[in-house]
Amino acid sequence: MSEETKGLRLEDFAGQAYDKLRYGDTDRQGHVNNAVFATFMETGRVELIYNPDDPLLEDGFSFVLAKLDINYIAEVLWPGTVEIGTRVMRVGRSSVSMQQAVFQAGKLCASAETVVVHFDQTTRKSHPFSEGQWLKLEGWISAA
């Protein structure tokens, strides 16, 4: 575990979400399959950036995943739930770098670096953030 992830707690993250584990998430070793962790990270990102009570995106725009680098720290076991933390680390012209983490029963099980790109659905290309979007994203850096 790196110094950057050592001591991480769910409370350290502006975005907090959870997922219920399904039996079908498990593999032959009886723990949650590594591929499911990408879905956990997606849940965390979506709940932060697509929050209907605090919309970030305008019509015709979305986010696309550009990078997902997951560090597996401990196994996750069924049944139960996991908690997912998401926070903004850096805001670029049209992309956002996030740190994410998955916890089960308060224990850090995985961390990830995620980059998403602001995407124009008409041109199918990246699109710069508006000043309002940029300020909101910057505010999430220190929100936790």
Side-chain angles (χ1 to χ4, degrees), residues 29-31 39 47 76-77 115 119 125 131:
Q29 287 78 34
H31 58 245
T39 301
E47 290 202 14
V76 170
L77 299 171
V115 177
F119 184 77
K125 297 186 184 297
E131 183 178 353

Side-chain angles (χ1 to χ4, degrees), residues 1-2 4-10 12-13 32-42 68-77 82-87 98-114:
M1 186 178 332
S2 73
E4 192 174 289
T5 58
K6 192 182 253 185
L8 278 180
R9 302 167 307 133
L10 183 61
D12 296 331
F13 295 87
V32 171
N33 185 280
N34 64 311
V36 177
F37 284 72
T39 301
F40 297 155
M41 302 304 176
E42 179 183 56
L68 177 59
D69 183 10
I70 302 173
N71 299 305
Y72 301 95
I73 298 165
E75 64 184 352
V76 170
L77 299 171
V82 291
E83 296 77 37
I84 306 122
T86 303
R87 64 181 171 189
M98 300 177 179
Q99 181 182 38
Q100 297 190 270
V102 174
F103 302 86
Q104 187 175 41
K107 180 180 179 182
L108 178 64
C109 298
S111 66
E113 179 187 347
T114 306

Side-chain angles (χ1 to χ4, degrees), residues 39-56:
T39 301
F40 297 155
M41 302 304 176
E42 179 183 56
T43 296
R45 288 190 311 275
V46 166
E47 290 202 14
L48 181 66
I49 62 180
Y50 289 101
N51 181 348
D53 297 329
D54 190 16
L56 176 64

Side-chain angles (χ1 to χ4, degrees), residues 10 19 33 43 75 88 90 111 116 122 130:
L10 183 61
D19 263 341
N33 185 280
T43 296
E75 64 184 352
V88 173
R90 290 175 301 285
S111 66
V116 293
T122 302
S130 69

